[in-house]
Amino acid sequence: MRKIGIASDHGGFELKEKLKSYLKEKGIEVIDYGTNSTESVDYPVYGKKAANGVVAGEVEKAVVICGTGIGISLAANKVEGIRCALCTNEYMAKMSRNHNDANMLALGARVIGDELAKSILDTFLAEEFLAGRHKRRVDLIENC
Ligand code: RB5
């Protein structure tokens, strides 16, 4: 069974809950790294919790959500080994997997609607890394 991490700040909490149910309905196991309400919190804490879960191998990939998706993606990308892609459409989600081997997806709950968020998440989870010339470039993200 696939195991996916999810986390958000207060701005992304409601979308997190919807995506969590959506993934569970598809038979995907979900590890929730918080937050647990709409009470104001700091997005770096939750971006890093999910990122650490990916790096530790607790989950295969993770989706993180804040108001814009910007802050939580910046925080996740500070964790070594994380490639967190902020996506606003399915094409970006596809390319983030095919070319960038992204292991985390960031979404902006105040930027996109719920149905688009589900569709972006589906694409992100379905697409594979194409490797080849893209592997060299992804390796250079860490080593150049
Ligand atoms: C919180 O108000 C907001 O700043 C946060 O959710 C996010 O959009 C930051 O990038």
Side-chain angles (χ1 to χ4, degrees), residues 50-68:
N52 288 333
V54 172
V55 167
E58 285 170 9
V59 290
E60 169 200 320
K61 294 187 181 70
V63 53
V64 287
I65 311 155
C66 67
T68 58

Side-chain angles (χ1 to χ4, degrees), residues 22-71:
Y22 182 67
L23 290 172
K24 285 180 179 172
E25 278 163 20
K26 287 173 171 284
I28 294 173
E29 190 178 342
V30 182
I31 305 287
D32 187 344
Y33 293 98
T35 186
N36 299 315
S37 75
T38 54
E39 187 180 331
S40 185
V41 291
D42 299 324
Y43 56 80
V45 173
Y46 298 93
K48 288 196 176 181
K49 279 186 185 195
N52 288 333
V54 172
V55 167
E58 285 170 9
V59 290
E60 169 200 320
K61 294 187 181 70
V63 53
V64 287
I65 311 155
C66 67
T68 58
I70 296 170

Side-chain angles (χ1 to χ4, degrees), residues 1-114:
M1 185 192 272
R2 294 188 85 174
K3 201 192 280 189
I4 301 299
I6 196 163
S8 75
D9 73 353
H10 53 288
F13 173 72
E14 284 173 9
L15 180 57
K16 173 170 73 68
E17 294 304 297
K18 288 174 190 165
L19 293 183
K20 203 162 76 176
S21 304
Y22 182 67
L23 290 172
K24 285 180 179 172
E25 278 163 20
K26 287 173 171 284
I28 294 173
E29 190 178 342
V30 182
I31 305 287
D32 187 344
Y33 293 98
T35 186
N36 299 315
S37 75
T38 54
E39 187 180 331
S40 185
V41 291
D42 299 324
Y43 56 80
V45 173
Y46 298 93
K48 288 196 176 181
K49 279 186 185 195
N52 288 333
V54 172
V55 167
E58 285 170 9
V59 290
E60 169 200 320
K61 294 187 181 70
V63 53
V64 287
I65 311 155
C66 67
T68 58
I70 296 170
I72 206 158
S73 63
L74 292 173
N77 277 314
K78 294 292 283 184
V79 175
E80 194 173 346
I82 290 299
R83 291 175 300 281
C84 182
L86 171 57
C87 299
T88 55
N89 59 51
E90 294 92 338
Y91 178 73
M92 293 173 78
K94 176 174 162 54
M95 288 300 116
S96 79
R97 290 290 307 128
N98 292 170
H99 289 192
N100 311 118
D101 197 19
N103 50 13
M104 288 181 67
L105 169 69
L107 298 170
R110 296 172 184 156
V111 179
I112 58 168
D114 295 350

